Amino acid sequence: MRWSRLASLVVVMLALVLAGALAGQAQRSTTLPQDVQSLIEAKGLTPDQVRAAIQTYVPPGKYDEYLMFSSGGQGGQVLVFGVPSMRLLRVIGVFAPEPWQGYGVGSEETETILNWRTKDPRLAWGDTHHPALSETNGEYDGKWLFINDKAGSRIAVIDLRDFATKQIVQNPNAVSNHGAVVSPNTEYVLEVTQYAGPFPFRYVPLTQENYNRHFRGLATFWKFDRGKGRIDVSKSFQIELPPYWQDLADFGKLESYGWAFWNSFNSERAIGGTLEKKPPVEVGASARDMDYLHIVNWKRAEELVAQGKYTVINGMKVIRLKDAVEAGILYLAPEPKSPHGLDVAPRGDYIVVGGKLDPNATVYSFRKIQEAIRSKAFSGRDDYGIPILKFDAVVAAQVKLGLGPLHTMFDDKGNAYTSLFLDSAVAKWTLGPPYNPPERAWKLVQKLPVQYNIGHLTAVEGDTTKPGGKYLVALNKWSVDQYRNVGPLLPQNFQLVDISGEEMKLLSNTPVGIGEPHLAQIVRMDRVKSWEVYPAGTNPLTMRPDPNAVKAGQQRIVREGRTVRVYMTAMRSHYVPDRVRVKRGDTVIFHITNIERTKDAIHGFAIDRHNVNLSLEPGKTETVVLRAERPGVYPFYCTEFCSALHLEMMGYLEIEP
Ligand code: RUQ
Ligand code: CUA
């Protein structure tokens, strides 16, 4: 008590002192307690650093204001941070087994999820890039999170009631993906391919002629069923695209609702051949000055599907390229050389594209695009017959920002923030009308150096219809000299930036040593309402009562032929039953229910020498199916230190020869 009061006093005094110092009054030495003063001096902190420390400090027992959901890159996970503290709160297993959560290591429920509908049940990893929070009216609603796996062309659904993965779907017609976003009312999760492949997927010899004729990109609109909390494959559809490498995508909103946009690179259709003395892909794919923005009317595509104008390929409804063009669903517009990021402004009126090899952010006007389509302001058609809108007819502005502009986020004051990969900086610039009067429009305001090679950036709800401002996080690819050397594989560097004032200010560094995150999204803490404990006997796959859940007094072992069913409970500090005897060759099925109702009273369930570890949070019921193969007496035990007698929370599985 006494100490915490003293601590808050110190903070208040620090704030006062800082205010004084900033106003140019040298009061520091007179108002700061001597020990605090010496701490600051010993560390050589500047007033900005002291302020940053206070701003980001979240005292024990207090909460952060925001949650940040970040991709975990090659780790195949989602990372959840508190903002502004930047403390890691959760790791969510998605495309890779995650033993701590008992994800994909023995429980029937999570192994089903991990292998759901995939053609490659043994994929042991994923490459997560773009998390996308579910939206209602273009604002985050805190209910679900989606994320793509670039390497496995998969999309996962995470339920934010328990922060756990519930479904993974794999694209049957594409092998690679990149952009993944949700529509403003979470009608669809859009997945666009990255690298083109033979369409439908099969073997076709890789020659230029074959590439042009048989390779295709694909846009997949995965229908999300809010009632069930699952993607409904039967109501999903795809649009066939040219074999350009479609990249980042975004949905239109408000005035551009019903449309979607994505960019593409390698419209040159380069296929490499370095050993054959042909130019490498990077050269071939950068030969032309322009690539193509894809402009898509998904509402009309939906109508086309409703009218039955599709072909079913590998169980997916596909609108063929020719039909898409004929129906006015698909248009192209030139984009400066090798674009990367694509982001729609809060009101849905502008589409911002960053060009990796172009110093400008290119801003397209949705109204101009509509006008150009209406008046057929085409500069021609591409090789696949898609009309190309005239660049000058659709561009609202080009804002020179610096080298390597990639991704853009927005704040609540009419500003845009773009990551500059080559410059290692964040550029703050002003949007045009109606966000700003014409004289303040399209101007670079400030460039903040970041350490180093920034990829994505994310601002508080900065890609919704109502950005929150306040904070931005730079997701830097290289950390170089920012941390103590821990070997040649360096952590990624997240940098928190204050964007509440006129000037951006760097607040803190956070090393991420788990994978290479790409995008992250920051949501107001109060929007996410997760469960504290599961309703008693909940199956985490269905999120409904599990028919095999048992209460105290109902525990039993039932033998049916060669199958032995164990209805077990876990509670501090024992399992009932704690002795299970089976014969070699039996199938043993454990249905285990954690019957605790106390928040955080978690138990594990691991079987020695077996690939089984469950995380049984209060109220959860999970099932383990085991073939009894190697005779022996195996301890099973609780892997969560749950109580003083945690070590005693164990039992024996006897497998008779
Ligand atoms: S990205 S490389 Cu979002 Cu810039 Cu995946
Ligand atoms: Cu239950 Cu340890």
Side-chain angles (χ1 to χ4, degrees), residues 129-130 178 248 340 407 456 518:
H129 279 234
H130 302 111
H178 198 209
L248 274 289
H340 184 51
H407 304 283
H456 276 274
H518 290 261

Side-chain angles (χ1 to χ4, degrees), residues 57-368:
Y57 179 65
V58 178
K62 293 274 188 284
Y63 300 149
D64 277 298
E65 210 178 334
Y66 303 100
L67 282 180
M68 179 168 78
F69 292 90
S70 168
S71 91
Q74 309 89 329
Q77 303 154 329
V78 164
L79 314 176
V80 188
F81 293 86
V83 175
S85 76
M86 298 301 287
R87 293 176 297 190
L88 180 64
L89 300 175
R90 265 297 295 268
V91 175
I92 304 173
V94 186
F95 297 109
E98 212 296 306
W100 167 63
Q101 293 156 66
Y103 183 73
V105 279
S107 85
E108 282 295 291
E109 290 78 10
T110 59
E111 294 208 349
T112 302
I113 293 164
L114 197 51
N115 298 328
W116 203 321
R117 287 182 203 282
T118 65
K119 289 236 172 95
D120 309 300
R122 278 161 303 157
L123 277 182
W125 77 291
D127 185 14
T128 60
H129 279 234
H130 302 111
L133 284 155
S134 57
E135 294 181 8
T136 300
N137 297 323
E139 290 182 62
Y140 299 152
D141 57 30
K143 297 255 193 287
W144 290 281
L145 181 77
F146 308 91
I147 193 156
N148 73 310
D149 161 26
K150 173 168 167 164
S153 61
R154 294 181 289 179
I155 298 283
V157 179
I158 295 165
D159 192 327
L160 294 180
R161 281 177 297 177
D162 65 347
F163 279 51
T165 305
K166 299 296 157 188
Q167 183 186 18
I168 292 174
V169 290
Q170 187 175 45
N171 198 320
N173 292 323
V175 279
S176 156
N177 72 26
H178 198 209
V181 274
V182 299
S183 55
N185 286 302
T186 321
E187 299 95 331
Y188 292 99
V189 183
L190 169 61
E191 175 203 18
V192 298
T193 46
Q194 178 96 85
Y195 306 120
F199 176 74
F201 188 70
R202 63 190 187 283
Y203 177 69
V204 173
L206 183 56
T207 64
Q208 191 66 59
E209 200 198 326
N210 280 342
Y211 184 88
N212 296 354
R213 277 188 56 182
H214 299 296
F215 282 53
R216 290 291 179 272
L218 266 184
T220 306
F221 290 79
W222 296 103
K223 178 74 190 164
F224 186 65
D225 181 333
R226 272 183 174 266
K228 297 204 175 89
R230 297 288 182 278
I231 284 169
D232 183 344
V233 180
S234 72
K235 296 207 176 86
S236 306
F237 66 90
Q238 302 186 307
I239 303 175
E240 180 188 354
L241 302 171
Y244 312 143
W245 294 349
Q246 284 79 22
D247 202 23
L248 274 289
D250 204 357
F251 272 100
K253 48 199 166 202
L254 299 176
E255 72 174 74
S256 54
Y257 178 77
W259 291 75
F261 314 91
W262 52 85
N263 49 32
S264 61
F265 60 106
N266 197 15
S267 56
E268 295 86 348
R269 291 170 286 173
I271 56 171
T274 41
L275 204 56
E276 293 81 32
K277 300 259 163 16
K278 302 219 179 89
V281 169
E282 62 172 318
V283 173
S286 316
R288 300 176 55 206
D289 281 336
M290 290 288 189
D291 286 290
Y292 295 123
L293 169 68
H294 292 49
I295 300 159
V296 175
N297 186 337
W298 64 264
K299 271 286 172 195
R300 187 169 295 175
E302 216 178 29
E303 287 164 22
L304 222 61
V305 172
Q307 294 160 11
K309 294 194 183 128
Y310 57 79
T311 314
V312 175
I313 300 174
N314 290 323
M316 289 294 290
K317 295 170 179 153
V318 182
I319 300 177
R320 303 306 299 254
L321 182 43
K322 195 166 57 59
D323 298 334
V325 173
E326 239 161 58
I329 287 171
L330 177 59
Y331 298 90
L332 301 174
E335 291 176 307
K337 220 176 171 83
S338 305
H340 184 51
L342 181 147
D343 300 279
V344 176
R347 299 181 196 221
D349 41 6
Y350 297 117
I351 301 131
V352 180
V353 167
K356 294 174 300 219
L357 302 180
D358 182 272
N360 296 298
T362 300
V363 186
Y364 298 82
S365 151
F366 180 69
R367 252 163 277 173
K368 285 184 157 191

Side-chain angles (χ1 to χ4, degrees), residues 474-527:
L475 284 72
N476 303 305
K477 302 290 181 192
W478 291 40
S479 59
V480 193
D481 56 1
Q482 296 290 294
Y483 303 105
R484 168 83 56 200
N485 187 10
V486 287
L489 178 61
L490 273 61
Q492 304 284 302
N493 189 24
F494 281 12
Q495 289 185 302
L496 183 70
V497 177
D498 180 350
I499 56 166
S500 61
E502 270 304 299
E503 245 187 59
M504 294 182 278
K505 289 210 162 115
L506 191 59
L507 295 176
S508 72
N509 267 16
T510 300
V512 179
I514 308 180
E516 183 209 339
H518 290 261
L519 178 64
Q521 289 188 321
I522 304 176
V523 58
R524 246 169 44 207
M525 197 70 122
D526 62 285
R527 290 198 202 260

Side-chain angles (χ1 to χ4, degrees), residues 332-530:
L332 301 174
E335 291 176 307
K337 220 176 171 83
S338 305
H340 184 51
L342 181 147
D343 300 279
V344 176
R347 299 181 196 221
D349 41 6
Y350 297 117
I351 301 131
V352 180
V353 167
K356 294 174 300 219
L357 302 180
D358 182 272
N360 296 298
T362 300
V363 186
Y364 298 82
S365 151
F366 180 69
R367 252 163 277 173
K368 285 184 157 191
I369 288 173
Q370 292 306 301
E371 190 43 48
I373 292 174
R374 230 174 289 127
S375 64
K376 297 203 161 44
F378 304 148
S379 60
R381 288 175 185 259
D382 79 339
D383 288 354
Y384 300 85
I386 312 171
I388 305 168
L389 304 174
K390 283 188 183 141
F391 186 70
D392 292 338
V394 294
V395 168
Q398 287 198 287
V399 189
K400 192 163 182 183
L401 302 176
L403 300 181
L406 299 183
H407 304 283
T408 300
M409 281 263 165
F410 306 92
D411 72 6
D412 52 339
K413 300 181 199 74
N415 298 303
Y417 300 83
T418 300
S419 52
L420 303 176
F421 180 83
L422 297 173
D423 269 355
S424 285
V426 174
K428 174 179 176 177
W429 52 284
T430 57
L431 290 168
Y435 302 89
N436 290 292
E439 67 277 11
R440 285 203 54 217
W442 314 124
K443 290 208 166 59
L444 175 65
V445 178
Q446 185 202 352
K447 270 162 82 166
L448 178 79
V450 290
Q451 290 74 34
Y452 303 90
N453 296 1
I454 178 173
H456 276 274
L457 43 63
T458 183
V460 172
E461 307 197 345
D463 53 5
T464 71
T465 52
K466 297 215 180 74
K470 203 153 178 177
Y471 296 112
L472 176 147
V473 173
L475 284 72
N476 303 305
K477 302 290 181 192
W478 291 40
S479 59
V480 193
D481 56 1
Q482 296 290 294
Y483 303 105
R484 168 83 56 200
N485 187 10
V486 287
L489 178 61
L490 273 61
Q492 304 284 302
N493 189 24
F494 281 12
Q495 289 185 302
L496 183 70
V497 177
D498 180 350
I499 56 166
S500 61
E502 270 304 299
E503 245 187 59
M504 294 182 278
K505 289 210 162 115
L506 191 59
L507 295 176
S508 72
N509 267 16
T510 300
V512 179
I514 308 180
E516 183 209 339
H518 290 261
L519 178 64
Q521 289 188 321
I522 304 176
V523 58
R524 246 169 44 207
M525 197 70 122
D526 62 285
R527 290 198 202 260
V528 182
K529 299 192 169 57
S530 44

Side-chain angles (χ1 to χ4, degrees), residues 557 559 562 564 566 568 577-590 605 607-608 610 626-636 650-657:
I557 298 177
R559 178 177 275 281
R562 300 300 318 255
V564 179
V566 183
M568 184 185 273
D578 58 3
R579 285 163 57 173
V580 177
R581 183 189 291 178
V582 300
K583 294 192 170 58
R584 178 185 195 164
D586 283 348
T587 299
V588 198
I589 304 176
F590 293 90
F605 177 80
I607 306 175
D608 283 343
H610 287 79
L626 196 89
R627 288 268 305 169
E629 306 211 317
R630 278 167 296 149
V633 180
Y634 300 96
F636 54 82
M650 65 80 66
Y652 282 108
L653 168 67
E654 297 175 60
I655 301 180
E656 296 177 345

